[in-house]
Amino acid sequence: MRNDIKNHFSKAAYSFNNRSWVKSPDVINAICSLFQLKEEGSTKLLDLGAGTGSVSQYIEQLFPNIHIYALDICKEMLQQIHSEQIEKIWSDVSNIPMLDECFDIIVSRQCLHYVDDLPTTISESFRVLKKNGVFILAQIIPCDNNSKEYWAKIAHKRQPLRHNFFSLADWQTIFTNNGFKILKTLTLNHKAKLSDWVKASGSEETIAALYDMVVNAPQEYKASVGLTRVDDDYSMDIHWLIMSMQKQ
């Protein structure tokens, strides 16, 4: 387990749900729209990198018959899940302590960009998925290839522990290279206030520097995120990829 990741989220766990995107229904509803539920028997779902369980608990409310497992590297994050119907697994995403072919669905929202050995992690997900099981990925990505380089620069400033800075095409390639077939790809924009978005970046100095990087970004980046002046702040688009893939 990466201690830097564990330590970071241990400190963030008790206020993590206050971040505007964490409980936003838009992305979670898009994830649920890609479910392939069994007509008979129970569906088993793994929330990979579940964090505080906002996705798991939302799914539990919509689909009470799904058996949900929430896996995360950080014990303090898992402790924020209060539902007794959700089974919690304290583990690294690259070492899933479950039997082969035991899940119908795996969901992973905004987790895999921290993983430094993605092939191993995807291989583990492949192992625990049943044949024809579905992996649903939700990740923030650059809006277009023209702004990708500056987007990655900003993403690294905001999330220095981040390991991967992938575009839609990058995510598609790494999953297809590891035995998955792309079923459906959705994208959506989540509106955010710039002053709120930069708050998660850490110290006041880093927050100020990140705010300045966005406001003074190249025009192609500002256009790609729809940066708009609103009173004494700015509005911007956070671009999400939601993609379903099937184990072959």
Side-chain angles (χ1 to χ4, degrees):
M1 292 185 181
R2 283 182 57 183
N3 287 328
D4 55 351
I5 295 291
K6 283 200 297 181
N7 292 338
H8 172 76
F9 284 104
S10 292
K11 294 175 183 176
Y14 303 104
S15 60
F16 193 75
N17 285 339
N18 295 331
R19 301 179 186 186
S20 62
W21 66 271
V22 172
K23 290 190 173 183
S24 173
D26 296 346
V27 173
I28 307 178
N29 281 329
I31 290 170
C32 294
S33 75
L34 300 179
F35 283 0
Q36 294 185 354
L37 299 179
K38 295 163 60 175
E39 293 183 4
E40 297 181 1
S42 62
T43 296
K44 291 178 67 174
L45 179 147
L46 174 64
D47 186 356
L48 193 69
T52 54
S54 56
V55 173
S56 289
Q57 292 174 105
Y58 195 95
I59 292 171
E60 180 191 21
Q61 295 299 313
L62 289 180
F63 305 99
N65 293 326
I66 292 182
H67 192 175
I68 301 171
Y69 295 74
L71 181 149
D72 202 88
I73 193 174
C74 179
K75 185 183 292 186
E76 288 79 7
M77 295 287 271
L78 289 174
Q79 287 172 347
Q80 308 310 305
I81 302 175
H82 302 300
S83 171
E84 296 182 357
Q85 305 305 314
I86 297 172
E87 297 198 31
K88 292 176 277 189
I89 305 171
W90 181 34
S91 182
D92 193 297
V93 295
S94 63
N95 184 24
I96 302 172
M98 300 295 289
L99 298 175
D100 295 355
E101 300 190 352
C102 60
F103 291 107
D104 301 286
I105 301 171
I106 295 178
V107 169
S108 183
R109 184 192 66 167
Q110 214 37 15
C111 162
L112 297 187
H113 57 288
Y114 288 115
V115 176
D116 50 11
D117 187 0
L118 263 180
T120 296
T121 298
I122 295 173
S123 177
E124 268 292 87
S125 296
F126 190 92
R127 179 184 66 81
V128 300
L129 263 181
K130 296 177 182 178
K131 183 175 175 57
N132 298 323
V134 174
F135 189 115
I136 301 173
L137 175 75
Q139 284 285 154
I140 294 172
I141 59 171
C143 294
D144 55 51
N145 287 330
N146 293 332
S147 61
K148 179 183 175 182
E149 185 175 346
Y150 198 81
W151 173 87
K153 184 177 179 181
I154 286 178
H156 179 68
K157 185 71 173 178
R158 185 172 183 265
Q159 298 173 314
L161 297 179
R162 186 183 186 123
H163 190 80
N164 302 304
F165 302 85
F166 287 170
S167 66
L168 185 157
D170 295 329
W171 284 115
Q172 289 178 327
T173 297
I174 195 164
F175 273 91
T176 54
N177 286 347
N178 285 275
F180 284 90
K181 174 186 176 183
I182 309 299
L183 295 179
K184 192 167 185 179
T185 299
L186 306 174
T187 58
L188 60 87
N189 289 327
H190 173 74
K191 288 287 184 184
K193 288 178 61 178
L194 179 57
S195 59
D196 290 338
W197 184 76
V198 299
K199 284 179 183 177
S201 59
S203 67
E204 290 186 9
E205 181 180 356
T206 303
I207 290 171
L210 185 60
Y211 193 96
D212 186 66
M213 284 178 69
V214 175
V215 172
N216 295 303
Q219 187 57 40
E220 62 184 14
Y221 173 81
K222 289 197 266 189
S224 72
V225 299
L227 190 69
T228 305
R229 185 80 183 185
V230 180
D231 298 326
D232 58 349
D233 202 350
Y234 290 86
S235 169
M236 63 186 294
D237 293 330
I238 308 302
H239 196 58
W240 282 87
L241 163 69
I242 301 95
M243 182 168 66
S244 62
M245 299 152 287
Q246 189 173 54
K247 175 178 176 175
Q248 296 299 286

